[in-house]
């Protein structure tokens, strides 16, 4: 049963970024997993109305998220409490528990080096990942990959996994999201009094290749950082391969211990950037071919032009276009139909976006409190996010400078102008800031 809960936690994490905060709190959080059999995850919810609401609003998003999280889950069913009770009475077997308890470290077969399009934005990181896959345990250790949301980090980790599994099936590889790592650590402690011999250590030290995805989340968990440090040292000293992905470089992970930062710098730290137009187009063509979508070139150009920050979003648009054509009973949609279908997604909808949402996103991204962000603190950890936030509000919304100042504890318009200019310059001179700003923009647009 434990694994089912874990899968659901992972799904929640994805959905949190996919649906609005209100929807998430009202509908998604109300769902509770209670069974899993034959690829179907069963969720319960309090009422018939709530059930219909979730299905109407979020069916596709939930389906997509669960397919992303596990190859074993292919569908889900929502039941009201009454339906659940009668279902359980009829169907209860122990088999379901067993199935869900199998480890899930299957690599997604779609995420390979062959399906990864290489362009200027990612050629170095591709070379590094490929190098590690072909020659693990050599110089590139650890390999630390960082970059914005939806730019291919997880794809590359799976590509390394798939490659090694194919060429060296005897090697033991563990891929864990940071959340899974933290979870296993906490569970390990619960189930064992003896830390040194805990099941956690058995699992994470008895391996050849360790990959931890989205390591930035470790900043919240100090005890796990400690354990990760020891795991890292142990593996490293025994010449095991370590690969890590993060949305930002080690030095920008808040509250990451110095000694971990320095461990991460022992190998190669490589960034992945937002793709240029040609790469975006090539990715779209490849995906369309892979999924057997028939989509006009003109439409692909249009998507590549209009979606320039996040490949995952771009893929979402591509499949939306495909389904839209199906819905119209056509082989492929015309340009006009596509524009109509995508009008909400592609246009930044200024009316819908409010400054509070941007502020929330910045706070979430940097793990800081809203009161600090809009308050008077002058330390760098707060000032920079604050300036970025002001910049985003200026860029994304048509608000008078003085009202923006008001939002930040009554600062005057010169502060707003100063922040905007400062960040504009930083973006010009440092691609890292461009990525942060792009990530935050797509986060705010989605929330
Ligand atoms: P991240 O982990 O960086 O947030 P993912 O690896 O999940 O991003 O990538 C998001 C989606 O974009 C995936 O479906 C992935 O296959 C696709 N993608 C990203 N980069 C590329 C690329 N260079 N070529 C092909 N597909 C890509
Ligand atoms: Mg990822």
């Amino acid at each position: 049963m434990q694994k089912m809960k874990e899968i659901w936690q992972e799904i929640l994490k994805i959905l949190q970024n996919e649906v609005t905060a209100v929807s998430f709190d009202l509908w998604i959080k109300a769902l509770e997993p209670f069974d899993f059999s034959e690829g179907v995850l069963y969720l319960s919810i309090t009422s018939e109305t709530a059930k219909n609401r979730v299905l109407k609003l979020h069916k596709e998003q939930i389906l997509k998220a669960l397919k992303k999280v596990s190859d074993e889950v292919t569908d889900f069913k929502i039941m009201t409490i009454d339906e659940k009770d009668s279902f359980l009475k009829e169907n209860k077997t122990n088999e379901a528990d067993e199935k869900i308890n199998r480890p899930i470290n299957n690599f997604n077969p779609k995420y390979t080096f062959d399906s990864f399009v290489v362009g200027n934005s990612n050629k170095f990181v591709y070379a590094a990942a490929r190098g590690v896959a072909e020659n693990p345990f050599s110089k590139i250790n650890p390999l630390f990959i960082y970059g914005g949301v939806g730019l291919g980090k997880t794809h590359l980790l799976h590509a390394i996994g798939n490659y090694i599994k194919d060429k060296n099936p005897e090697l033991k590889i563990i891929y864990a999201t940071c959340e899974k790592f933290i979870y296993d650590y906490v569970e390990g402690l619960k189930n064992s009094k003896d830390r040194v011999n805990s099941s956690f250590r058995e699992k994470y030290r008895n391996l050849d290749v360790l990959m931890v995805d989205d390591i930035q989340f470790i900043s919240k968990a100090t005890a796990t950082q400690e354990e990760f440090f020891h795991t890292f040292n142990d593996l490293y000293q025994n010449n095991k391969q370590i690969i890590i992905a993060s949305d930002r470089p080690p030095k920008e992970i808040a509250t990451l211990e110095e000694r971990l930062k320095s461990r991460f710098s022992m190998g190669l730290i490589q960034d992945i950037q937002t793709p240029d137009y040609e790469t975006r187009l090539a990715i779209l063509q490849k995906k369309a071919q892979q999924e057997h979508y028939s989509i006009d070139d003109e439409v692909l150009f249009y998507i590549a032009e209009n979606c320039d920050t996040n490949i995952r979003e771009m893929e979402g648009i591509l499949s939306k276009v495909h389904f839209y054509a199906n819905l119209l009973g056509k082989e492929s949609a015309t340009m006009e139909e596509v524009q109509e279908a995508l009008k909400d997604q592609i246009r930044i909808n200024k009316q819908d976006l409010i400054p509070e949402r941007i502020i929330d996103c910045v706070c979430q991204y940097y793990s800081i409190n809203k009161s600090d962000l809009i308050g008077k603190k002058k330390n760098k950890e707060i000032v920079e996010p604050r300036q970025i936030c002001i910049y985003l509000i200026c860029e994304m919304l048509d608000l008078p400078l003085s009202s923006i100042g008001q939002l930040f504890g009554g600062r005057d318009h010169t502060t707003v102008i100063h922040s905007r200019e400062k960040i504009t310059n930083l973006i010009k001179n440092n691609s890292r800031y461009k990525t942060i700003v792009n990530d935050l923009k797509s986060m705010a647009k989605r929330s």
Side-chain angles (χ1 to χ4, degrees):
M1 267 335 199
Q2 214 50 61
K3 280 279 184 303
M4 179 173 74
K5 297 247 160 67
E6 274 169 44
I7 291 182
W8 184 243
Q9 285 309 318
E10 295 278 327
I11 294 173
L12 285 181
K13 208 183 99 200
I14 297 179
L15 288 172
Q16 191 155 25
N17 292 323
E18 300 279 326
V19 309
T20 62
V22 176
S23 247
F24 188 79
D25 284 342
L26 270 184
W27 308 118
I28 306 292
K29 271 194 186 162
L31 294 165
E32 258 188 62
F34 68 89
D35 206 345
F36 172 73
S37 72
E38 292 174 3
V40 181
L41 184 63
Y42 290 84
L43 303 162
S44 68
I45 199 160
T46 42
S47 69
E48 188 69 30
T49 329
K51 171 180 156 180
N52 293 335
R53 201 76 200 144
V54 175
L55 287 175
K56 180 152 183 254
L57 293 172
H58 302 302
K59 185 167 177 214
E60 290 305 319
Q61 287 154 321
I62 298 177
L63 260 181
K64 248 174 89 179
L66 55 88
K67 284 185 181 151
K68 215 178 261 173
V69 166
S70 165
D71 290 338
E72 290 177 68
V73 193
T74 51
D75 202 358
F76 72 98
K77 269 209 172 77
I78 300 181
M79 295 188 171
T80 62
I81 303 290
D82 291 345
E83 287 169 337
K84 168 185 156 184
D85 287 346
S86 42
F87 171 86
L88 285 179
K89 265 189 215 129
E90 282 167 28
N91 291 296
K92 198 63 215 132
T93 63
N94 293 325
E95 206 194 340
D97 286 6
E98 266 169 37
K99 267 192 197 152
I100 204 82
N101 268 324
R102 280 208 312 263
I104 19 169
N105 78 354
N106 286 344
F107 294 106
N108 185 334
K110 285 189 179 166
Y111 291 171
T112 61
F113 286 119
D114 285 342
S115 65
F116 192 84
V117 175
V118 184
N120 280 332
S121 57
N122 58 27
K123 61 182 181 214
F124 294 116
V125 75
Y126 174 86
R130 182 103 205 187
V132 166
E134 285 171 4
N135 287 306
F137 322 116
S138 57
K139 282 208 188 98
I140 313 180
N141 200 19
L143 169 61
F144 189 103
I145 298 176
Y146 76 88
V149 178
L151 297 184
K153 301 180 295 294
T154 299
H155 185 134
L156 281 174
L157 295 192
H158 281 250
I160 297 173
N162 279 319
Y163 189 99
I164 297 182
K165 246 173 73 176
D166 186 42
K167 296 283 186 297
N168 300 302
E170 75 288 353
L171 290 183
K172 200 161 164 208
I173 317 173
I174 286 198
Y175 165 93
T177 58
C178 186
E179 252 123 0
K180 172 88 171 99
F181 189 85
I182 297 172
Y183 177 90
D184 282 352
Y185 175 64
V186 174
E187 279 304 294
L189 285 186
K190 263 195 241 158
N191 299 334
S192 144
K193 292 200 181 65
D194 176 3
R195 275 182 67 160
V196 183
N197 290 317
S198 70
S199 56
F200 175 85
R201 291 204 174 177
E202 202 169 298
K203 174 171 174 188
Y204 285 99
R205 298 208 185 175
N206 184 11
L207 48 80
D208 302 298
V209 182
L210 175 65
M211 302 196 221
V212 183
D213 203 350
D214 286 324
I215 193 97
Q216 71 273 8
F217 293 118
I218 209 169
S219 64
K220 293 186 214 134
T222 8
T224 314
Q225 282 195 36
E226 171 88 22
E227 187 61 33
F228 185 76
F229 178 76
H230 295 303
T231 307
F232 183 104
N233 284 346
D234 191 73
L235 294 172
Y236 188 81
Q237 274 154 17
N238 289 304
N239 197 27
K240 308 297 187 189
Q241 181 69 49
I242 302 160
I243 306 153
I244 296 161
S246 162
D247 72 345
R248 59 200 84 183
K251 63 175 190 304
E252 285 176 27
I253 303 179
T255 73
L256 183 69
E257 285 182 48
E258 282 307 321
R259 52 183 191 165
L260 265 178
K261 287 184 194 172
S262 86
R263 284 297 182 279
F264 291 158
S265 324
M266 294 190 318
L268 177 66
I269 298 182
Q270 186 61 60
D271 69 331
I272 186 165
Q273 308 231 332
T274 41
D276 52 25
Y277 174 77
E278 286 77 16
T279 313
R280 296 201 296 275
L281 187 59
I283 292 173
L284 284 170
Q285 285 164 334
K286 191 147 202 158
K287 296 278 165 188
Q289 188 190 17
Q290 216 174 37
E291 304 290 330
H292 306 290
Y293 294 163
S294 120
I295 295 181
D296 289 347
D297 278 349
E298 191 192 16
V299 173
L300 296 183
F301 297 155
Y302 177 75
I303 303 174
E305 255 163 43
N306 285 287
C307 183
D308 58 359
T309 55
N310 178 330
I311 299 170
R312 188 176 302 134
E313 219 163 73
M314 200 168 76
E315 283 182 6
I317 291 180
L318 187 72
S319 60
K320 194 165 170 189
V321 168
H322 171 73
F323 288 118
Y324 193 72
N326 277 0
L327 212 66
L328 298 171
K330 296 181 171 184
E331 177 99 344
S332 61
T334 66
M335 193 62 197
E336 286 72 41
E337 288 159 349
V338 168
Q339 279 168 340
E340 174 61 26
L342 300 180
K343 67 176 191 295
D344 293 333
Q345 213 150 346
I346 281 186
R347 189 188 55 209
I348 304 172
N349 201 335
K350 291 194 176 177
Q351 286 87 13
D352 284 353
L353 192 60
I354 50 168
E356 282 72 17
R357 214 171 286 160
I358 301 180
I359 292 176
D360 286 346
C361 287
V362 173
C363 289
Q364 203 188 336
Y365 186 85
Y366 285 100
S367 307
I368 55 181
N369 291 329
K370 183 172 171 186
S371 55
D372 286 339
L373 187 83
I374 63 175
K376 301 265 175 270
K377 283 197 180 159
K378 290 214 158 56
N379 44 324
K380 186 164 187 281
E381 295 76 50
I382 304 289
V383 171
E384 196 168 281
R386 184 184 295 141
Q387 290 176 331
I388 288 186
C389 192
I390 293 176
Y391 169 89
L392 286 168
I393 295 177
C394 292
E395 283 281 297
M396 300 180 79
L397 304 172
D398 282 329
L399 281 181
L401 298 179
S402 56
S403 1
I404 300 179
Q406 280 308 316
L407 290 167
F408 290 81
R411 288 176 160 83
D412 73 11
H413 70 283
T414 51
T415 316
V416 176
I417 295 173
H418 171 74
S419 301
R420 191 179 60 193
E421 282 172 359
K422 171 105 189 277
I423 302 301
T424 310
N425 279 331
L426 280 174
I427 293 173
K428 257 189 228 147
N429 299 318
N430 183 339
S431 65
R432 175 76 198 126
Y433 285 94
K434 192 169 156 197
T435 311
I436 295 177
V437 163
N438 281 340
D439 276 358
L440 283 166
K441 276 187 186 168
S442 44
M443 241 169 111
K445 275 190 258 165
R446 251 182 294 133
S447 59

